[in-house]
Amino acid sequence: MSKLYIVPTPIGNLKDITFRAIEVLKEADLILSEDTRTSGKLLKHFEIYTHMQSHHMHNEHKTVESIIQKIKGGITVALISDAGTPAISDPGFLLTRACIENNIEVDCLPGATAFVPALVNSGLPNDKFVFEGFLPVKKGRQTRLLLLAEETRTIIFYESPHKLVKTLGHFCEYFGEDRQVSVSRELTKLYEETIRGTAKEVLEYYTNKPPKGEIVVVVGGKK
């Protein structure tokens, strides 16, 4: 029986991939990728020619069992996402859980993930923090915000650019306009920026300058 490797990939700068990640991806029998077109560019850059198979949020429920059988048959599988560490707001949890239930070894490599540099860059307390990922779009959003308004630890969110202003407005409403916020955008990429200030100040900034790219929002806890 072989095993499953969880392999982080760069969130922007290709130099952030590790030597070990390249080695594993070259030696694996099969690479599961969120989008084979996106991952194909990465693999081509590093001259990795391992066979790829699509594994994303729309098909992972259907493909997990067949992947488990492949690993039991002696196939070494490496799981990657479009960027960062798989299973962090990306597919990966279901397959990892299934492997553990089937006594298949899982080896997660250390590597790139967006929320860690955003947290450190924020200047907000990072000895204790809560990772929330994406807030509910509609149902349950208000309930979640009311609960998080009482959270004393630093809170980390992922957000899409076209929803950022709305979310910052909700932070002003539920957390208070003076709550400290840090927005990191396009981490490790050419136009990387981090904007820090009160929720009101950051809201005003992005209201006047609509954001683009991948976004991580870090919010100070209630004092």
Side-chain angles (χ1 to χ4, degrees), residues 16-185:
D16 289 336
I17 199 167
T18 67
F19 291 122
R20 186 181 173 206
I22 294 173
E23 181 181 80
V24 167
L25 292 175
K26 284 184 175 181
E27 294 181 355
D29 299 303
L30 175 65
I31 295 174
L32 302 176
S33 61
E34 192 174 359
D35 186 325
T36 55
R37 294 167 298 180
T38 300
S39 297
K41 297 174 184 177
L42 174 72
L43 300 187
K44 182 179 180 181
H45 180 83
F46 290 106
E47 300 181 342
I48 299 168
Y49 304 108
T50 307
H51 177 67
M52 279 193 294
Q53 177 182 321
S54 180
H55 183 79
H56 49 73
M57 64 180 292
H58 301 296
N59 74 356
E60 60 179 333
H61 289 83
K62 301 176 182 178
T63 59
V64 164
E65 183 55 37
S66 64
I67 295 167
I68 292 296
Q69 294 308 314
K70 288 179 179 179
I71 300 174
K72 285 185 174 181
I75 296 295
T76 298
V77 174
L79 173 66
I80 60 176
S81 61
D82 287 347
T85 300
I88 304 296
S89 294
D90 283 323
F93 163 69
L94 293 179
L95 181 57
T96 300
R97 181 178 63 181
C99 284
I100 293 169
E101 290 173 347
N102 284 271
N103 297 314
I104 295 172
E105 183 179 355
V106 178
D107 192 346
C108 182
L109 278 59
T113 190
F115 78 78
V116 174
L119 172 62
V120 176
N121 279 340
S122 72
L124 294 168
N126 54 33
D127 55 331
K128 295 179 181 179
F129 60 90
V130 180
F131 175 72
E132 280 291 311
F134 290 95
L135 281 165
V137 177
K138 293 181 180 179
K139 186 178 180 180
R141 186 180 181 91
Q142 182 182 40
T143 301
R144 196 70 198 155
L145 286 167
L146 286 169
L147 179 66
L148 291 172
E150 302 302 315
E151 176 60 65
T152 58
R153 295 168 292 184
T154 299
I155 316 166
I156 305 168
F157 301 91
Y158 284 165
E159 190 53 278
S160 59
H162 65 281
K163 294 178 182 175
L164 178 62
V165 169
K166 178 181 178 181
T167 295
L168 290 171
H170 284 158
F171 289 167
C172 288
E173 179 182 353
Y174 291 95
F175 300 166
E177 294 182 346
D178 293 331
R179 186 73 70 95
Q180 290 297 306
V181 171
S182 174
V183 175
S184 289
R185 188 179 64 84

